Amino acid sequence: MHGEKQAPVNYYVGIDVGSASVRAALVDEFGTVVAHADQPIQIWEPQTDHYEQSSSDIWAACCSVTKKVVCGVDARRIRGLGFDATCSLVAVDKHFQPLAVNCEGQNHRNVIMWMDHRAVSQVDRINQTQHKVLSYVGGTMSVEMQPPKLLWIKENLQESCWEKAGYFFDLPDFLSWKATGVTARSLCTLVCKWTYTSDGGWDDSFWQMIGLEDLVKDQYEKIGNHVLSPGESVGKGLTPEAARELGLPEGIAVAASLIDAHAGGLGVIGADVKGHNLPCENQPITSRLAMICGTSSCHMGISETPIFVPGVWGPYFSAMVPGFWLNEGGQSATGKLIEHVVQGHVAFPELQARAKDSSQSIYTYLNSHLDLIKKSLPVGFLTVDLHVWPDFHGNRSPLTDLTLKGMVVGLTLSQGLDELALIYLATIQAIALGTRHILETMQAAGHQINTLFLCGGLSKNPLFVQMHADITGKPVVLSKEVESVLVGAAILGACASGDFATIQEAMVKMGKIGRVVRPNHGDKRFYDKKYQVFLKLVEHQREYRSIMQSP
């Protein structure tokens, strides 16, 4: 009615710590991102496969971006705060001061990043135990998980870090501690990266078997013995100190956190799809796969009963959506691989110049250039003689082979912009073929997936999205809010505040569909052939490796 006052809108803050930046968003109760800010964070690479960060640098960036997004907003309407972050390992001493995770003794570099592969020998030894907890990580533990990194610290930094350590946090849990002063851990992080099980907790025999029995002796104080479900309120909310640093009201609800990919899944997978003529409409939520595509990519499928998928992490109970089992496939380098291939090409300076002259991003320019050279054929057909195996940083799923290398077949002596565009296209196709490989492995084990839900930086690239639709043969749903990971983090804050009874209720109300990209079914035969070649590439790599390793 005219003159009737509208009910005041509630807001929630979502903070996302990615690999290279921290982002924050102010999100309303309908899932709309009202304000957004980001700030880069530093990465150190002291030697090959060693990647480190600073928890102080990360927290300072969290404070900076949060102050920006809440500026000018009625603080009384901000009801909750949620964090997500990469599954990196944070080391602090008994007084919560940073501890060096490096031989140089640089204490400010106290974070071993998720993509750090220093613990190769440690993870090999862990996998040789064939302990029963490994069945919940696809049968083989990844070097990106926390137990091998902890073992590396004990074996390489015994006096300087291991013996001085008071706590080892997964980065999402470190952030909730900074905000609340409570050392509680999220079920998500502990189940997915630390071998905790939602029904049995820690398995003493595993830690004893791999040589980390000292964690058992102190009742797991260093790695977490107080566990909360994602979205559950932590402690008494925001401490006075954290409130000042973040520019938020003291005491507002702070949620138990999520790993960044899981927050992205939360932000997209529950959206209402009515009226979009999708195969998942009127089907269980288990018919959907959430893909979070950024520096790396994660493939999140859920089920009502546990499904054990070879080479795919999980099943993890209630690690993303409460009451459902989660399987998580992944590719260790996707956005990073595209950047590596494009920026390493001899024609990259020419690409930069042309993109700048046309006021376009380099990827928008490359997509346009492909449209120019494709002539009458579909753009994907340009790579009929060019094939890429994308595991430049090893294979996370479904082969779980850290030693695999990238491959390119079909190179010529040409070095121009056309060739750069083609290798860019072939790399995107290889990533999509890898997704198909993961998807088929999950389906063979019992998942029934018919629709992909994409979010993350790469979902902004229309070529990346279309290739995933064409190569998997499944429609791709893009969320209305591009920043779905931040919406997922805000959903956590909304649940912690008590404004929503369940995460599922918040997912439906705050997750919104934007655009649907459908596969070009007429191209199916071509991509089926590309997939056959794709699988042959890894066969050949293993064959030539066997030859070279033979006596």
Side-chain angles (χ1 to χ4, degrees), residues 381-414:
F381 288 27
L382 287 168
T383 60
V384 65
D385 291 320
L386 184 61
H387 310 282
V388 172
W389 179 262
D391 291 330
F392 286 50
H393 199 50
N395 183 282
R396 187 190 297 173
S397 305
L399 302 178
T400 61
D401 188 345
L402 180 63
T403 67
L404 284 175
K405 304 292 189 288
M407 300 172 70
V408 182
V409 176
L411 294 175
T412 70
L413 292 175
S414 300

Side-chain angles (χ1 to χ4, degrees), residues 251-439:
I252 69 164
V254 176
S257 55
L258 280 173
I259 298 166
D260 54 353
H262 302 63
L266 206 64
V268 297
I269 202 169
D272 185 354
V273 299
K274 288 177 183 174
H276 290 272
N277 192 29
L278 286 164
C280 63
E281 186 174 348
N282 299 319
Q283 296 294 314
I285 193 173
T286 53
S287 64
R288 308 175 182 194
L289 182 87
M291 272 188 64
I292 299 82
C293 316
T295 305
S296 61
S297 290
C298 296
H299 306 71
M300 322 291 274
I302 59 175
S303 56
E304 294 180 354
T305 57
I307 299 175
F308 292 85
V309 186
V312 173
W313 297 341
Y316 305 131
F317 186 66
S318 290
M320 185 173 78
V321 180
F324 288 87
W325 293 85
L326 171 70
N327 284 107
E328 180 186 350
Q331 295 161 296
S332 293
T334 49
K336 188 171 180 64
L337 175 61
I338 295 168
E339 180 183 279
H340 172 79
V341 168
V342 171
Q343 294 186 8
H345 197 278
V346 69
F348 180 63
E350 180 186 354
L351 169 62
Q352 280 184 303
R354 291 199 184 192
K356 184 178 180 181
D357 290 344
S358 60
S359 300
Q360 293 179 309
S361 75
I362 58 173
Y363 299 116
T364 300
Y365 188 90
L366 280 173
N367 293 348
S368 301
H369 193 76
L370 286 166
D371 284 335
L372 286 175
I373 63 177
K374 70 173 185 172
K375 299 178 181 175
S376 60
L377 290 172
V379 68
F381 288 27
L382 287 168
T383 60
V384 65
D385 291 320
L386 184 61
H387 310 282
V388 172
W389 179 262
D391 291 330
F392 286 50
H393 199 50
N395 183 282
R396 187 190 297 173
S397 305
L399 302 178
T400 61
D401 188 345
L402 180 63
T403 67
L404 284 175
K405 304 292 189 288
M407 300 172 70
V408 182
V409 176
L411 294 175
T412 70
L413 292 175
S414 300
Q415 295 182 313
L417 197 55
D418 286 2
E419 285 66 40
L420 171 51
L422 290 177
I423 192 68
Y424 158 73
L425 170 61
T427 301
I428 286 178
Q429 289 176 331
I431 292 167
L433 290 162
T435 290
R436 177 168 168 174
H437 196 194
I438 292 167
L439 196 56

